Amino acid sequence: MKYEVVIGMEIHAQLLTKSKLFCGCSTEFGAEPNSQCCPICLGFPGSLPVMNRKAVDHIITTALALNCTVARESIFARKNYFYPDLPKAYQISQDDQPLGERGYLDIMDGSRRIKIRRIHLEEDAGKLVHIEGEPFSLVDYNRGGASLMEIVTEPDIRSAEEAAAYITELRSILRYIGVCDGNMEEGSLRCEPNISLRLHGAKEFGVKAELKNINSIRAVQRGVAYEIERQSQILDEGGTVIQETRRWDEASGTTISMRSKEEAHDYRYFSEADLVRVVVDDAWLNRMAAALPELPQARRERFIAAYGLPAYDAGVLTESKEIGDFFDKVAAISHDYKVVSNWIMGELMRLLNETGQSLEQSHMTPEVLAEIIALVDKGTINLKSAKEVFEESFHTGKTPSKIVADRGMAQISDEAALSGIIEGVIAANSKVAEDFRAGKEAALGFLVGQVMKETRGQANPAMVNKLLREKL
Amino acid sequence: MNIYDMTLHQLWKMLHEGDITVQEIYGSFAGRIEEVESKVGAFVNLTPDIAELQVHKAADRWSEGRGVTPLTGLPLAIKDNMSLVGVPNTCSSKMLENYIPPYNATVVEKLAEDGALFIGKTNLDEFAMGSSTETSAFKLTRNPWNLGHVPGGSSGGSAAAVAAGESPAALGSDTGGSIRQPASFCGVVGMKPTYGRVSRYGLVAFAGSLDQIGPITRDVYDCAIMMNALSGHDACDSTSADIPVPDHTTGLGQDIRGLRIGLPGELFNEGIDASIREAIYTAVDLLTGMGAECVEISMPHLEYSMPVYYILATAEAGSNMARYDGVQYGYRASGAKDILDMYIRTRSEGLGTEVKRRIVLGTYVLSSGYYDAFYLKAQKVRTLIKADFDRAFTRVDLLVSPVTPTTAFKAGKRADDPLQMYLSDICTIPANLAGLPAMSVPCGFDNGLPMGMQIIGKPFDETTMLRVAYAYEQSTDWHKRRAVLAG
Amino acid sequence: MMTMKVSRKEVEHVAFLSRLALSEREAEEFTRQFNQIFKQFEKLNELDTSQVEPTSHVLQMQNVLRQDSVRSSLPIDEVLANAPDREDGYFSVPRIME
């Protein structure tokens, strides 16, 4: 392509706090409209904000995870604009002196570095509901005043793949550090890429379009790819891209221009007198740094180095912190790491997907998986049985040994018991036994099959083979 | 002496000695309101239902001798920009005429717990923007000393109610002089406490970095009692100071020997009526006679107070007023064709001219192109003004000045000249900019209209101010005079 | 510094930013008054403030923060009690085109 793609990304992440940013109203998702509101988040005359400490903690944690400089002194500002989802007609946000600045995030196995410009804390707006054909719109302020984090990158992203990789990695980090649930469909993580093209080597940026309504990582990739294609076509034909906000339309797989704004925005930022400054001292910063968990990239590298896992496995296992933690715990007991990885990437993830449960909600524990692996290892059960045991443990929490005993799944590895059965089979199939003795190797398979049939599949196949050969 | 002419502490003493009942007190003030309110126009809404309930509870507290506070059973009026559950909080604006708050302001909660009686909500300049109570959307409030004159503002209803015998004390709010100026015009005592001393939670914001709630009373002792009731840390207000509150009455009656009092020359300039300057100098002589050391000092940046104040206050006000958009509460224009039209018509119809003037001015000073030249510059000069005070307070304990350049002016006289109106706040604005406590104490009459002396103190040192104010008051009898409401 | 001149058009634009439509008289009056008031404001330029920090708060307070705990919200009927228009538990406003 003759154009260089330039993408900057703005992320809004709803912070995992129990109460809103400036009042005690609950932030639980899915409540009855306007049931989680009070004079403060409704902007009733005379009400005043008081900041949630946890929200500030979350921003500091994120700033540290994204290699930002944490502002030792941070202030809040009002961003003034009229919109019905904004009860005070200003949003309490940060302008100068945001909590975090000048960080970076490495993506694509560390081959690309995306610089972070700033991270700041602000309040969320309410939700507008439009009903087809009605002359009115409805407003629900449950989300209004919830704590929101804005993360802005430098225009360092160069392709749709990188855009998707950035948001994937970022989401993974936000989940690791427990500041955001990363749910893009419910809107707790919203991403707004701005995309422009320019000729390779050009100094000036092209005109950018901002994308909204992106509800999944797939949509990031598709939306950005579409936008790159759209803009390059315009430029190829000698046209000019206009600066605008475009809405990603999942159904048609295109972006659609939103009604252009009637005025250039003049938000008239100025200091919020109802709040005082936030000062982050060494003790606070150190406390947050100490609580920072191992991040996905470091964990990926460790899984490859310490466990000898393929890069692919390490990637899958570390995507969520839960799974990575789980792997670490199983691996402490079971030392065939690739086998552990196969179980987790196969059975465990399949069942989590099918049931829609989280690991925590299921009954699976590291001890259970380690026990199942050991049972297979010792030859107590075969792999097929092991998968059944796993599934039952996953659903019921019963221990593998109990399931094996209850369902009589243990393989018969007792020589004495097998000898009797084998002798019976040889006697009943003397013709076939003769064939084998005459050198017809294939006849053995038939005899093994008969033994397995007699034992309803529970005979240890290796032992049956060995005993048959001996007795013939 | 009529019951309604008495002070809080006099009434309390009578209750304590069993010479009067809570019912009799309430009855006397209710009767007085009945008698003079049509002339004075101090109230937007009277709240007899609430007061009568409170009368019973307070009477029980007195008869059981349980939980009696210095305010139990005593009537109070509340400026109509503070939330009282179930009663309209109009801010004297058509915009909020029917707005009924679902929560109490912290000060209202405190006073209710103390057992005070809420008799009504008082008139003010619309959203506290004004100096005469003439910008109220509902009514004119008259100066009880001369009904042809304004009571001052914005807490004009509160000051007039106290001066007219309709309430022994009232709450006001002060952003640039809105307690002290009407107190001065009406011959009563008014205090703006140190910024952060009294919770702002539930006070409808004019300019949050300057606003402060305070009392308007008939004498200094009552002011101290009210300060005890109102002060203290509030977790609902991030700018509320978390420091201990002294008993404000302790200094009353102590002598003032050796106290150093500064007279800032900038607040005694030729813009101040000669009679007022004279009255203050006479008061200063009296204080000197009691052993205070009075010195003239210079605070060169005070002359920039007016522009600094009107830039910062209108910037904040413009933003604070934006929420009145007809969505969650308040007035909404009918027949709007879309949301933008609804916003514009609602706000243009619901707000008065002075409020609009300040909103537009405030939007101006923050808009790109003006921010640095006006807003940022004003914040920097605010630093210089504050530094002037810091320097002054290394030399003196208190400052004394006039409260206003003139006595109460005639109604309608200044309504058309906002600049003149803004300039008349020159003496009161500096204390708001520096966050300092300041009060107005009656210091004489000119042509039958009261004059006030301003005392400005160090941060959180209201007690020293009260001590000096009390010493002065006790050697005069201005505070004992009552307005005669003749025609 | 040059004196800033305020035009009526500009005043009306700023009023629009504040979602206000001024009457003929208000627009006229505000323009005239703002020119006078801005002259007063420009007196601040007499002062050199290049070395002065701005004051947004007189109190040197910091870190006024609350614990992250949920407190009960208002009952929905109180939330909506003052609403000029409501529909089905929602606030209702003239339709917004997206």
Side-chain angles (χ1 to χ4, degrees), chain A residues 114-177:
Chain A
I114 310 301
K115 293 193 289 297
I116 308 286
R117 183 181 295 169
R118 56 183 281 140
I119 302 180
H120 75 242
L121 179 57
E122 61 187 24
E123 59 180 330
D124 208 344
K127 235 175 194 161
L128 286 169
V129 180
H130 310 285
I131 302 168
E132 206 51 52
E134 294 288 359
F136 51 79
S137 295
L138 302 175
V139 204
D140 169 12
Y141 292 107
N142 278 353
R143 200 181 67 183
S147 36
L148 200 61
M149 167 167 65
E150 183 173 312
I151 305 174
V152 185
T153 72
E154 296 293 344
D156 287 352
I157 299 168
R158 290 290 171 268
S159 67
E161 291 68 35
E162 286 186 15
Y166 169 76
I167 185 87
T168 305
E169 185 70 13
L170 181 68
R171 183 171 71 166
S172 172
I173 290 175
L174 298 183
R175 286 175 168 166
Y176 259 65
I177 59 181

Side-chain angles (χ1 to χ4, degrees), chain B residues 366-388:
Chain B
L366 285 175
S367 60
S368 48
Y370 289 93
Y371 181 91
D372 286 352
F374 285 164
Y375 184 73
L376 192 61
K377 183 81 182 181
Q379 280 195 322
K380 289 179 171 183
V381 180
R382 184 177 187 183
T383 306
L384 296 175
I385 291 170
K386 190 167 177 294
D388 274 4

Side-chain angles (χ1 to χ4, degrees), chain C residues 35-75:
Chain C
N35 276 302
Q36 292 171 5
I37 291 168
F38 281 18
K39 262 192 212 115
Q40 293 287 324
F41 287 0
E42 280 160 14
K43 276 187 67 174
L44 298 182
N45 293 324
E46 296 168 9
L47 298 170
D48 175 11
T49 52
S50 52
Q51 304 301 314
V52 182
E53 285 293 312
T55 295
S56 53
H57 267 295
V58 282
L59 291 174
Q60 286 305 303
M61 291 171 68
Q62 61 191 50
N63 296 352
V64 177
L65 302 161
R66 46 172 265 273
Q67 294 305 312
D68 178 27
S69 53
V70 174
R71 291 178 58 183
S72 52
S73 299
L74 284 178

Side-chain angles (χ1 to χ4, degrees), chain B residues 98-100 102 195-196 209 238-240 301 303-304 306-308 310-311 326-330 332 338-340 342-344 347-348 353 356-357 359-361 363-365 370 373-374 376-384 386 416 418-419 422 433-435 460, chain C residues 1 4-7 10-11 14-22 25-26 29-30 32-34 36-38 40-50 52-59 61 64 71 74 78-80 82-85 91-96:
Chain B
N98 299 310
Y99 162 68
I100 298 177
Y195 186 81
S209 81
S238 304
T239 62
S240 161
H301 297 104
E303 64 170 298
Y304 299 97
M306 194 289 271
V308 170
Y310 276 93
I311 289 168
V327 178
Q328 292 91 15
Y329 44 77
R332 179 191 287 189
D338 58 28
I339 186 82
L340 183 65
M342 190 279 273
Y343 280 155
I344 292 176
R347 291 168 59 74
S348 303
T353 298
K356 286 182 201 167
R357 180 161 30 237
I359 291 173
V360 180
L361 197 51
T363 307
Y364 237 117
V365 300
Y370 289 93
F374 285 164
L376 192 61
K377 183 81 182 181
Q379 280 195 322
K380 289 179 171 183
V381 180
R382 184 177 187 183
T383 306
L384 296 175
K386 190 167 177 294
D416 291 332
L419 185 60
Y422 298 171
L433 291 174
F460 300 105
Chain C
M1 194 177 162
M4 294 190 187
K5 262 287 190 195
V6 178
S7 70
E10 209 178 11
V11 169
V14 174
F16 173 75
L17 287 180
S18 333
R19 298 293 179 266
L20 288 169
L22 302 180
R25 200 179 136 221
E26 284 169 338
E29 223 179 73
F30 287 10
R32 181 171 47 79
Q33 291 161 350
F34 287 5
Q36 292 171 5
I37 291 168
F38 281 18
Q40 293 287 324
F41 287 0
E42 280 160 14
K43 276 187 67 174
L44 298 182
N45 293 324
E46 296 168 9
L47 298 170
D48 175 11
T49 52
S50 52
V52 182
E53 285 293 312
T55 295
S56 53
H57 267 295
V58 282
L59 291 174
M61 291 171 68
V64 177
R71 291 178 58 183
L74 284 178
E78 283 189 39
V79 167
L80 294 166
N82 283 289
D85 194 7
F91 293 86
S92 177
V93 295
R95 184 167 179 80
I96 295 148

Side-chain angles (χ1 to χ4, degrees), chain A residues 69-280:
Chain A
T69 305
V70 174
R72 290 316 185 95
E73 187 174 330
S74 196
I75 54 170
F76 290 81
R78 291 183 182 181
K79 178 180 181 179
N80 296 284
Y81 65 95
F82 288 86
Y83 208 64
D85 63 5
L86 194 63
K88 301 187 295 293
Y90 58 79
Q91 179 190 31
I92 302 179
S93 179
Q94 298 194 274
D95 184 28
D96 294 335
Q97 301 179 44
L99 275 158
E101 275 185 295
R102 296 181 305 279
Y104 62 85
L105 174 61
D106 289 335
I107 58 167
M108 322 282 265
D109 292 326
S111 66
R112 293 279 298 128
R113 172 163 292 186
I114 310 301
K115 293 193 289 297
I116 308 286
R117 183 181 295 169
R118 56 183 281 140
I119 302 180
H120 75 242
L121 179 57
E122 61 187 24
E123 59 180 330
D124 208 344
K127 235 175 194 161
L128 286 169
V129 180
H130 310 285
I131 302 168
E132 206 51 52
E134 294 288 359
F136 51 79
S137 295
L138 302 175
V139 204
D140 169 12
Y141 292 107
N142 278 353
R143 200 181 67 183
S147 36
L148 200 61
M149 167 167 65
E150 183 173 312
I151 305 174
V152 185
T153 72
E154 296 293 344
D156 287 352
I157 299 168
R158 290 290 171 268
S159 67
E161 291 68 35
E162 286 186 15
Y166 169 76
I167 185 87
T168 305
E169 185 70 13
L170 181 68
R171 183 171 71 166
S172 172
I173 290 175
L174 298 183
R175 286 175 168 166
Y176 259 65
I177 59 181
V179 303
C180 175
D181 68 18
N183 190 328
M184 294 179 80
E185 268 150 57
E186 285 175 7
S188 39
L189 186 67
R190 294 162 233 162
C191 96
E192 287 159 20
N194 57 72
I195 302 132
S196 65
L197 305 184
R198 63 178 170 189
L199 287 171
H200 286 286
K203 286 229 159 53
E204 300 272 299
F205 288 122
V207 179
K208 65 185 177 184
E210 188 179 286
L211 283 194
K212 279 192 192 290
N213 193 40
I214 289 176
N215 297 323
S216 67
I217 288 181
R218 211 170 92 87
V220 177
Q221 173 139 9
R222 290 177 69 204
V224 171
Y226 177 87
E227 199 47 36
I228 293 170
E229 188 54 36
R230 187 187 71 86
Q231 293 187 15
S232 57
Q233 259 182 38
I234 293 175
L235 296 174
D236 281 346
E237 289 160 8
T240 47
V241 175
I242 40 173
Q243 179 156 351
E244 61 182 345
T245 301
R246 298 180 68 86
R247 193 174 157 277
W248 166 246
D249 182 59
E250 188 76 42
S252 65
T254 61
T255 64
I256 300 161
S257 176
M258 294 170 78
R259 217 160 59 122
S260 63
K261 304 266 155 70
E262 280 148 33
E263 51 177 307
H265 278 298
D266 182 354
Y267 290 123
R268 304 185 302 283
Y269 281 101
F270 77 111
S271 57
E272 169 55 281
D274 293 336
L275 292 170
V276 301
R277 67 209 167 114
V278 170
V279 173
V280 182

Side-chain angles (χ1 to χ4, degrees), chain A residues 1 26-27 49 95 178 189 267 317 363 392 418 439 445 461:
Chain A
M1 197 169 87
S26 167
T27 54
D95 184 28
L189 186 67
Y267 290 123
L317 293 174
H363 288 93
E392 190 169 339
L418 280 179

